[in-house]
């Protein structure tokens, strides 16, 4: 058995965040499927891993973790140096702080704007057969556009969000942006050339290519 086990496959955006980090550090891991439609994530076995009944969870020996951003940082922190992968930049207080800033921006500004579009246009149609709530989509597109204006300004000054180095601050954007780019609203990025170039750079990495192929929900 692999030393690290992820409960939840790349089809789940938050699990994909963890899986690309595991790929970046290059360690062996195992993926255990959690049947969402059968509500296995709400059953006692999975609740023992994640008491909130959400996906993913990660087990590493006696350590059991949930919350994908925290899991991802754990993976990068524990296994990154041995693999010469430094996506948290913790040897520099200033660089680490900038990684933290833009990781927080993703969680508190970018994600709340983009996630409703992904749910309405990809997840709900694929999982529940529902049509998108256009009001929710339109309001979220407006919010996302305002967030991307800030990203465009930032990325006009540096190649990546935390500076001229690739970091977890960039990688954490992968899963929801990947699904957003599968929707009919992907052309929004055309208005932000620096953001689009940054996204294309992110998608050129082996880790995102591999797990993008595993994200097969279709709108």
């Amino acid at each position: 058995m692999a030393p690290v086990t992820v409960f939840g496959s790349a089809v789940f955006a938050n699990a994909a965040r963890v899986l690309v980090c595991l790929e970046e550090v290059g360690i062996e891991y195992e993926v255990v499927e959690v049947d969402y439609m059968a509500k296995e994530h709400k059953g006692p076995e999975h609740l023992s891993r994640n008491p909130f009944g959400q996906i993913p969870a990660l087990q590493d020996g006696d350590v059991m973790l949930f919350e994908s951003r925290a899991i991802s940082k754990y993976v990068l922190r524990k296994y990154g140096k041995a693999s010469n992968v430094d996506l948290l930049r913790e040897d520099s207080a200033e660089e680490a702080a900038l990684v933290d800033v833009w990781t927080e921006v993703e969680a508190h500004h970018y994600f709340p704007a983009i996630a409703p579009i992904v749910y309405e246009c990809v997840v709900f149609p694929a999982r529940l057969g529902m049509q998108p709530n256009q009001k929710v989509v339109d309001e979220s597109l407006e919010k996302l556009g305002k967030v991307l204006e800030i990203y465009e300004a930032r990325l006009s000054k540096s190649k990546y969000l935390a500076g001229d180095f690739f970091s977890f601050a960039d990688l954490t954007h992968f899963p929801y942006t990947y699904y957003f780019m599968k929707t009919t609203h992907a052309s929004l990025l055309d208005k932000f050339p620096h953001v689009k170039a940054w996204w294309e750079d992110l998608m050129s990495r082996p880790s995102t290519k591999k797990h993008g192929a595993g994200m097969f929900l279709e709108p």
Side-chain angles (χ1 to χ4, degrees):
M1 177 180 289
V4 173
T5 302
V6 178
F7 298 91
S9 67
V11 70
F12 299 100
N14 290 325
R17 177 180 288 112
V18 172
L19 293 170
V20 292
C21 290
L22 287 164
E23 286 294 324
E24 290 284 340
V25 299
I27 65 166
E28 182 184 0
Y29 62 91
E30 177 184 11
V31 176
V32 175
E33 298 286 344
V34 179
D35 191 334
Y36 181 85
M37 298 306 291
K39 297 186 177 181
E40 283 186 3
H41 59 303
K42 300 298 185 183
E45 185 173 8
H46 191 70
L47 286 172
S48 70
R49 307 175 190 124
N50 183 335
F52 295 98
Q54 296 175 337
I55 297 169
L58 176 140
Q59 185 170 11
D60 183 9
D62 293 332
V63 176
M64 182 69 76
L65 300 172
F66 56 93
E67 295 297 336
S68 65
R69 293 171 183 83
I71 295 170
S72 297
K73 288 183 177 181
Y74 168 83
V75 167
L76 296 173
R77 190 170 286 126
K78 181 172 181 179
Y79 296 105
K81 285 190 177 181
S83 306
N84 199 30
V85 173
D86 185 14
L87 298 188
L88 299 178
R89 309 296 285 198
E90 291 184 332
D91 288 339
S92 165
E94 293 81 4
E95 290 180 356
L98 284 166
V99 173
D100 287 345
V101 165
W102 286 96
T103 300
E104 291 293 308
V105 169
E106 184 276 332
H108 299 295
H109 298 280
Y110 187 87
F111 171 76
I114 202 170
I117 304 166
V118 171
Y119 294 140
E120 291 291 339
C121 297
V122 180
V123 178
F124 294 162
R127 292 288 190 185
L128 305 174
M130 294 171 57
Q131 292 298 311
N133 182 325
Q134 198 58 46
K135 183 175 184 292
V136 171
V137 172
D138 291 343
E139 290 174 351
S140 297
L141 285 169
E142 183 178 358
K143 292 176 184 177
L144 181 60
K146 292 178 179 178
V147 172
L148 290 177
E149 289 176 2
I150 296 170
Y151 276 58
E152 181 69 11
R154 174 61 178 172
L155 292 167
S156 70
K157 298 175 182 177
S158 62
K159 185 175 181 180
Y160 299 106
L161 289 171
D164 289 323
F165 53 86
F166 182 79
S167 74
F168 179 62
D170 307 292
L171 193 60
T172 190
H173 289 76
F174 160 68
Y176 282 89
T177 311
Y178 180 87
Y179 273 135
F180 175 80
M181 296 302 288
K182 294 293 184 181
T183 75
T184 58
H185 306 292
S187 61
L188 177 64
L189 261 64
D190 294 338
K191 299 178 181 179
F192 306 99
H194 290 94
V195 174
K196 188 171 183 180
W198 165 79
W199 172 246
E200 290 172 350
D201 183 282
L202 177 55
M203 282 305 299
S204 72
R205 299 182 73 82
S207 64
T208 56
K209 285 182 178 179
K210 176 175 180 176
H211 286 295
M215 298 172 73
F216 49 82
L217 280 178
E218 292 293 342

